[in-house]
């Protein structure tokens, strides 16, 4: 820029008014004086990279991610997102975690969001987007805010008759957007700088308000482009405060208290949406005040302390914790907080509960019996107010104490330490490992049922994907959860069939210096599917899993692997993983008989099979 031009530019004062969001931010103002193009110049250095301006679209997006709590994002590069990645990683507080494939990047963002409250992944156009979409669908089903960022086509290609690579070969390349419309709560395509800041803020705030994933596509030629609205730190995020309708709240509490106080043996059950409602503490307060026995639905495990004096276990129909089923289904009133009733959580819709006896508390609505439904009520407010209105009633819990018989001890091979290891022995020793510094990740399948039976110490966290049930989820989720949880050592239980779907990103865990303990259960097939309906398709090729992980390790990073076939092997492996190898990723391949499975998965499989095979009933 010449001196005369610079002088003219410096004499101009730009006062820029920016709308920061359509969702609850109001209007933010900032003044930018003596703004010139020099503010956005890239200055070359000795490397192939240029110094990244802090006032580009990519840096603006990066700052927003940091501001909402995302410190790590999971990515796979592709030609449409490379410049965007440059600008994202230029943000000092944001770290890129490169994944082996897009599916695992999405699963990792899912795991990260479970611990941090929000996660993010970045992929390339269509070939990356359609690969990550299965993970985004899972996050949607589990009510997790994941920001899915896609590097999109050049802005000049929109509305033309051009055919682009990474598409299905037709001039209309909106297929990816249309697919994401089904599995995200908001979608924005940024192909102009003027409204980019508003679109980004709208998408991110919608994800946080609705606790669902969103889709943000950024044209590849705009990621590094400057604009005045990006030139300063954005207006601080301020989501609209959620409030209950006071009249509706009071009416619901009065009705619910009358309903429960009239019952002889009421109970309470915690479901997965307690997390979305951020009502864990108020649920404990209600349990303290009421004296009712408390169970969790399978997807609610980990959302209520298992050391509460009135905790009775998991209510999961025929595969419930012993005696929890009888107490819940014999109650004359039950409060379900955040339940999701599907064919899996209800074991083929076999639960013997009646709508007229139920108070169903959802994050924003309360329904009492088969009648009145009260809207615009926050679960946390409702539970807190209800705790002050309930009379203490311990009748149902006393019934549980009369019924309860402690579980029998695990059968040990005392006289034959070389006897094949049994699944009950494995989980007995995993139980003894757990403490407040752990988090448990349970893969879809038999691990669901065995991990449900673990008694979680105070402070020990627990995650699994109940609603979507995508096999292979746990590998990426372990990566993301461990990346977000440097204060916890993750213990993952993964079946061999599931592991074969997504195993590559164990290498990313090693690369990131993470130290989970992964129990790979090698029993030669898809166990839970065998119990639902057996066939040759449930048999998989056996791998040398420890050798595979050793190949991932390749003498770079900290990783230790071992195979165990006996109880003695297992005890030695666990001791080494917890002491000598406490800073390493520990991969323990557990060899079990293909028919050695839990009683619960047998019952579950037969009931789900019966439900799936109902004869056609024309309507």
């Amino acid at each position: 820029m010449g001196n005369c031009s610079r002088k003219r530019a410096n004499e101009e004062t730009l006062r820029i008014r920016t709308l920061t969001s359509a969702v609850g931010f109001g209007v933010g103002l900032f003044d930018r004086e003596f703004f010139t193009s020099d503010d956005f110049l890239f200055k070359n250095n000795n490397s192939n990279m240029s110094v990244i301006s802090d006032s580009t679209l990519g840096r603006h997006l990066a700052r927003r991610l940091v501001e909402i709590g995302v410190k790590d994002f999971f990515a796979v590069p592709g030609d449409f997102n490379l410049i965007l990645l440059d600008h994202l990683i230029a943000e000092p507080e944001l770290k890129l975690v490169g994944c082996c494939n897009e599916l695992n990047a999405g699963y990792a963002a899912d795991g990260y969001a479970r611990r941090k409250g929000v996660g993010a992944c970045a992929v390339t156009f269509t070939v990356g987007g359609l690969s990550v979409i299965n993970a985004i669908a899972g996050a949607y089903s589990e009510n997790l805010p994941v920001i899915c960022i896609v590097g999109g086509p050049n802005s000049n290609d929109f509305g033309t008759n051009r055919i682009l690579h990474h598409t299905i070969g037709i001039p209309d390349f909106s297929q990816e957007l249309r697919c994401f419309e089904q599995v995200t709560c908001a979608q924005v395509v940024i192909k102009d700088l003027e409204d980019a800041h508003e679109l980004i803020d709208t998408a991110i705030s919608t994800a946080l308000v609705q606790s669902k994933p969103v889709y943000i596509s950024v044209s590849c030629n705009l990621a590094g482009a400057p604009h005045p609205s990006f030139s300063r730190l954005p207006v601080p995020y301020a989501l609209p405060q959620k409030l209950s309708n006071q009249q509706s709240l009071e009416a619901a509490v009065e009705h619910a208290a009358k309903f429960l106080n009239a019952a002889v043996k009421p109970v309470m059950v915690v479901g997965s949406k307690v997390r979305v409602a951020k009502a864990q503490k108020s649920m404990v307060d209600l349990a303290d005040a009421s004296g009712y026995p408390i169970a969790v639905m399978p997807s609610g495990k980990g959302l209520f302390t298992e050391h509460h004096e009135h905790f009775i276990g998991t209510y999961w129909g025929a595969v419930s914790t012993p005696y929890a089923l009888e107490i819940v289904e014999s109650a004359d009133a039950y409060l379900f907080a955040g339940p999701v009733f599907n064919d899996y959580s209800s074991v083929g819709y076999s639960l013997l509960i009646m709508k007229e006896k139920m108070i169903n508390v959802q994050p924003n609505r309360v329904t009492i019996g088969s009648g009145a439904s009260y809207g615009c009520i926050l679960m946390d407010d409702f539970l807190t107010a209800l705790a002050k209105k309930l009379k203490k009633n311990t009748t149902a819990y006393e019934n549980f104490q009369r019924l309860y018989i402690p579980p029998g001890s695990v059968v040990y091979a005392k006289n034959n330490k070389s006897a094949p290891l049994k699944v009950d022995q494995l989980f007995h020793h995993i139980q003894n490992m757990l403490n407040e510094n752990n988090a448990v990740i349970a893969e879809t399948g038999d691990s669901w049922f065995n991990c449900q039976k673990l008694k979680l110490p105070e402070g020990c966290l627990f995650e699994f994907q109940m609603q979507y049930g995508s096999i292979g989820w746990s590998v990426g989720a372990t990566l993301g959860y461990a990346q977000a949880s440097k204060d916890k050592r993750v213990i993952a239980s993964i079946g061999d069939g599931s592991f074969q779907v997504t195993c590559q990103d164990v290498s990313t865990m090693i690369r990131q210096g993470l130290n989970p303990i992964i129990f790979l259960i090698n029993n030669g097939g898809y166990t839970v599917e065998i119990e639902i309906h057996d066939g040759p398709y449930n048999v998989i090729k056996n791998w040398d899993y420890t050798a595979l992980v050793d190949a991932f390790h390749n003498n770079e990073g900290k990783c230790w692997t071992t195979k165990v076939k006996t109880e003695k092997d297992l005890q030695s492996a666990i001791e080494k993983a917890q002491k000598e190898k406490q800073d390493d990723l520990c991969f323990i391949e557990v060899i079990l008989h293909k028919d050695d499975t839990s009683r619960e998965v047998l019952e579950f499989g037969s009931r789900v099979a019966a439900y799936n095979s109902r004869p056609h009933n024309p309507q």
Side-chain angles (χ1 to χ4, degrees):
M1 180 182 288
N3 289 336
C4 293
S5 298
R6 186 188 304 275
K7 183 178 179 181
R8 283 195 299 272
N10 285 344
E11 288 172 352
E12 295 179 1
T13 299
L14 301 181
R15 300 188 180 277
I16 303 158
R17 177 167 298 184
T18 54
L19 176 66
T20 60
S21 173
V23 186
F25 294 133
V27 175
L29 267 196
F30 66 83
D31 293 335
R32 173 76 172 171
E33 298 191 357
F34 305 115
F35 163 72
T36 78
S37 61
D38 282 355
D39 288 303
F40 303 124
L41 287 181
F42 288 42
K43 297 176 175 61
N44 290 328
N45 59 20
N46 294 328
S47 70
N48 293 326
M49 293 286 292
S50 296
V51 174
I52 302 296
S53 166
D54 66 357
S55 46
T56 62
L57 192 162
R59 284 298 298 276
H60 177 81
L61 177 55
R63 286 194 295 267
R64 276 303 197 212
L65 292 177
V66 170
E67 193 173 8
I68 63 173
V70 175
K71 304 297 184 183
D72 309 89
F73 72 102
F74 304 89
V76 177
D79 60 330
F80 283 118
N81 74 359
L82 297 176
I83 301 300
L84 176 60
L85 295 180
D86 284 343
H87 289 259
L88 293 176
I89 63 177
E91 173 57 45
E93 296 182 63
L94 188 63
K95 179 180 179 181
L96 181 150
V97 178
C99 295
C100 298
N101 59 58
E102 291 87 359
L103 179 61
N104 276 338
Y107 286 153
D110 170 313
Y112 193 92
R114 289 168 184 266
R115 187 69 203 279
K116 288 288 192 179
V118 60
C121 57
V123 299
T124 196
F125 180 56
T126 305
V127 290
L130 298 189
S131 289
V132 78
I133 200 167
N134 187 54
I136 300 303
Y140 190 99
S141 77
E142 299 280 323
N143 300 291
L144 297 170
V146 171
I147 316 300
C148 182
I149 303 163
V150 175
N154 187 291
S155 60
N156 298 302
D157 288 326
F158 288 91
T160 68
N161 199 37
R162 296 168 182 163
I163 294 175
L164 299 180
H165 70 289
H166 291 341
T167 70
I168 61 174
I170 61 176
D172 174 12
F173 41 86
S174 63
Q175 298 86 25
E176 179 183 80
L177 171 63
R178 297 201 305 273
C179 291
F180 273 95
E181 286 174 347
Q182 307 304 312
V183 296
T184 55
C185 66
Q187 313 81 35
V188 297
V189 178
I190 298 172
K191 49 183 187 276
D192 191 277
L193 293 176
E194 292 299 323
D195 61 354
H197 60 285
E198 180 181 346
L199 292 176
I200 288 171
D201 283 357
T202 298
I204 292 176
S205 56
T206 303
L208 297 178
V209 169
Q210 296 193 23
S211 197
K212 297 282 190 182
V214 293
Y215 166 87
I216 300 176
S217 174
V218 179
S219 290
C220 59
N221 60 320
L222 299 184
H227 189 268
S229 60
F230 310 141
S231 61
R232 285 188 177 179
L233 288 176
V235 175
Y237 241 79
L239 294 173
Q241 185 179 5
K242 292 183 178 181
L243 297 172
S244 295
N245 178 287
Q246 196 60 33
Q247 186 176 0
S248 185
L249 174 63
E250 290 173 3
V253 169
E254 201 66 37
H255 189 171
K258 183 178 179 181
F259 185 93
L260 292 170
N261 285 334
V264 176
K265 44 183 182 177
V267 301
M268 292 192 287
V269 183
V270 176
S272 61
K273 290 190 177 180
V274 167
R275 185 214 299 269
V276 180
K278 297 179 173 60
Q280 291 97 317
K281 182 181 183 302
S282 56
M283 197 72 229
V284 173
D285 293 341
L286 181 60
D288 290 340
S290 67
Y292 301 172
I294 304 286
V296 295
M297 296 184 74
S299 56
K301 187 175 177 68
L303 299 179
F304 186 86
T305 174
E306 299 186 6
H307 287 265
H308 193 279
E309 61 177 336
H310 290 162
F311 180 73
I312 62 173
T314 300
Y315 173 59
W316 199 356
V319 294
S320 298
T321 301
Y323 311 108
L325 168 70
E326 291 80 1
I327 295 302
V328 172
E329 294 189 349
S330 67
D332 54 348
Y334 15 73
L335 183 149
F336 278 78
V340 175
F341 296 107
N342 62 27
D343 51 340
Y344 269 18
S345 67
S346 65
V347 197
Y349 290 102
S350 63
L351 304 182
L352 298 179
I353 53 176
M354 291 181 279
K355 190 175 181 180
E356 58 267 26
K357 294 183 180 181
M358 182 190 300
I359 297 178
N360 187 333
V361 188
Q362 291 296 327
N364 299 295
R365 176 169 292 274
V366 176
T367 302
I368 300 175
S370 52
S373 187
Y374 302 87
C376 301
I377 297 174
L378 299 181
M379 182 189 293
D380 190 53
D381 291 344
F382 174 78
L383 298 179
T384 299
L386 183 62
K388 300 172 184 176
K389 295 278 188 177
L390 291 185
K391 299 174 184 176
K392 197 139 193 169
N393 184 342
T394 59
T395 302
Y397 184 69
E398 290 164 6
N399 287 344
F400 174 77
Q401 288 180 307
R402 280 191 286 270
L403 287 173
Y404 182 74
I405 299 173
S409 59
V410 176
V411 177
Y412 296 100
K414 293 182 179 179
N415 299 322
N416 186 2
K417 290 292 185 179
S418 63
L421 185 64
K422 295 181 179 180
V423 68
D424 285 348
Q425 294 170 336
L426 167 63
F427 282 90
H428 171 79
H429 287 288
I430 291 177
Q431 175 70 74
N432 291 339
M433 293 174 65
L434 299 181
N435 59 49
E436 70 277 6
N437 299 315
N438 292 129
V440 176
I441 304 287
E443 175 58 76
T444 300
D446 201 17
S447 292
W448 275 3
F449 303 92
N450 287 303
C451 289
Q452 277 290 331
K453 293 185 282 187
L454 295 173
K455 180 78 170 177
L456 300 179
E458 195 71 49
C460 180
L461 305 177
F462 184 89
E463 296 290 346
F464 80 133
Q465 192 191 60
M466 180 77 200
Q467 172 62 38
Y468 203 56
S470 183
I471 66 169
W473 162 85
S474 65
V475 176
T478 295
L479 165 61
Y481 202 90
Q483 188 70 31
S485 308
K486 300 301 174 63
D487 59 327
K488 302 284 184 182
R489 191 173 192 190
V490 176
I491 296 174
S493 173
I494 306 175
D496 50 350
S498 297
F499 187 73
Q500 288 194 7
V501 178
T502 52
C503 59
Q504 303 98 310
D505 274 283
V506 172
S507 66
T508 307
M509 299 179 209
I510 298 169
R511 185 182 184 188
Q512 293 299 123
L514 304 176
N515 69 335
I517 301 174
I518 298 173
F519 288 95
L520 187 284
I521 300 174
N522 184 351
N523 55 9
Y526 296 118
T527 301
V528 70
E529 293 181 10
I530 289 171
E531 302 309 330
I532 294 173
H533 182 85
D534 201 3
Y537 31 75
N538 290 325
V539 178
I540 60 175
K541 174 70 174 69
N542 192 33
W543 292 358
D544 187 342
Y545 294 97
T546 54
L548 178 67
V549 174
D550 287 337
F552 291 158
H553 178 209
N554 198 24
N555 296 314
E556 295 178 4
K558 292 184 176 181
C559 175
W560 175 72
T561 68
T562 187
K563 288 184 195 290
V564 300
K565 297 181 180 180
T566 67
E567 185 183 0
K568 183 179 179 181
D569 293 341
L570 177 66
Q571 289 174 304
S572 298
I574 290 174
E575 182 177 5
K576 190 168 185 176
Q578 291 186 303
K579 295 179 180 178
E580 182 184 340
K581 300 295 182 180
Q582 61 180 334
D583 296 325
D584 294 20
L585 183 148
C586 295
F587 185 87
I588 302 173
E589 180 182 351
V590 182
I591 311 297
L592 296 174
H593 191 278
K594 66 181 181 66
D595 294 325
D596 184 10
T597 187
S598 63
R599 175 193 67 80
E600 290 80 5
V601 80
L602 296 174
E603 179 74 30
F604 177 87
S606 63
R607 287 179 179 267
V608 169
Y611 184 79
N612 288 349
S613 60
R614 288 167 298 153
H616 177 56
N617 181 20
Q619 298 297 320

